[in-house]
Amino acid sequence: MTLRPIVTLPEPILRRKAKPITTFDKDLQILIDDMIETMRDAPGVGLAAPQINISQQLAIIEYTEDEESEEEAEAQGVPPKPKKLYVIINPEIIKVSEEKVSGVEGCLSIPGLIGDVERHEAIQVKALNRHGNPVKIKVNGWMARIFQHEIDHLHGVLFTDHATRVWKPAPDEEAPLD
Ligand code: NI
């Protein structure tokens, strides 16, 4: 596996709508595995193909629903809840909750800025998995936020486009990056 360089603003590919994927070959599997390694190395909770300079409808997401329980598990010496890894190809949001929630987001492609962003609390997504099989995924909370952030990347949209407020984080201020 290979780490792929992450591109940042003002790289124009970040503003382009990515192309749908139609071929599920060995090269795609290598690309997906490289993206997983690159996301974990960053570290980030998600990564979209345009962020590694590939304008294709592919994103990966890996997040533990509950960071607190992860810390607690560590304190008690028991294994933490496994992180959930999603690979989504040609994703489409097919349902959204009326409820929206505000949360703080950052982006691996916009270093040094975080912002308040309003997102649907829950969404349903139709996509293809890494083998080209159709899947439907229901997510809520932070997972739903990350999905919306990644799917935006595939349409050339960045969190700063929706943010109600954007600022430079203080040294102790953290936001998940994706
Ligand atoms: Ni991002």
Side-chain angles (χ1 to χ4, degrees):
M1 286 195 274
T2 316
L3 292 178
R4 309 269 187 131
I6 295 174
V7 299
T8 56
L9 277 183
E11 175 58 54
I13 200 166
L14 293 169
R15 288 305 194 178
R16 226 177 286 153
K17 188 168 164 36
K19 289 209 173 73
I21 289 178
T22 52
T23 310
F24 295 80
D25 56 6
K26 205 178 154 206
D27 285 345
L28 179 68
Q29 305 309 316
I30 292 169
L31 170 62
I32 291 168
D33 289 335
D34 285 354
M35 283 179 63
I36 293 169
E37 199 187 11
T38 303
M39 173 188 65
R40 288 176 178 165
D41 177 73
V45 295
L47 189 69
Q51 293 182 277
I52 55 158
N53 216 14
I54 292 175
S55 198
Q56 294 188 4
Q57 297 262 335
L58 159 65
I60 56 169
I61 292 149
E62 187 176 51
Y63 182 67
T64 311
E65 278 294 348
D66 189 351
E67 292 287 344
E68 262 175 48
S69 77
E70 199 180 43
E71 278 169 28
E72 200 175 297
E74 202 175 304
Q76 294 181 0
V78 296
K81 265 195 211 162
K83 291 189 178 182
K84 255 199 182 160
L85 175 69
Y86 292 98
V87 176
I88 51 170
I89 294 169
N90 306 344
E92 247 179 83
I93 296 177
I94 52 173
K95 244 187 200 176
V96 298
S97 64
E98 243 173 72
E99 189 193 353
K100 287 185 165 188
V101 283
S102 191
V104 180
E105 292 183 25
C107 181
L108 293 167
S109 295
I110 313 177
L113 276 187
I114 58 176
D116 277 326
V117 186
E118 234 184 42
R119 300 281 190 189
H120 297 285
E121 200 281 326
I123 59 167
Q124 198 173 335
V125 174
K126 190 177 94 173
L128 301 175
N129 69 12
R130 64 186 298 164
H131 307 295
N133 300 318
V135 288
K136 266 189 192 171
I137 306 165
K138 272 185 182 173
V139 281
N140 63 2
W142 270 98
M143 198 62 108
R145 174 174 298 280
I146 300 166
F147 268 76
Q148 288 167 85
H149 181 118
E150 295 316 324
I151 293 169
D152 272 354
H153 269 301
L154 303 180
H155 294 88
V157 175
L158 302 170
F159 83 86
T160 44
D161 300 341
H162 304 295
T164 49
R165 192 165 70 95
V166 171
W167 67 95
K168 285 186 180 163
D172 60 342
E173 203 172 10
E174 276 183 25
L177 299 172
D178 47 357

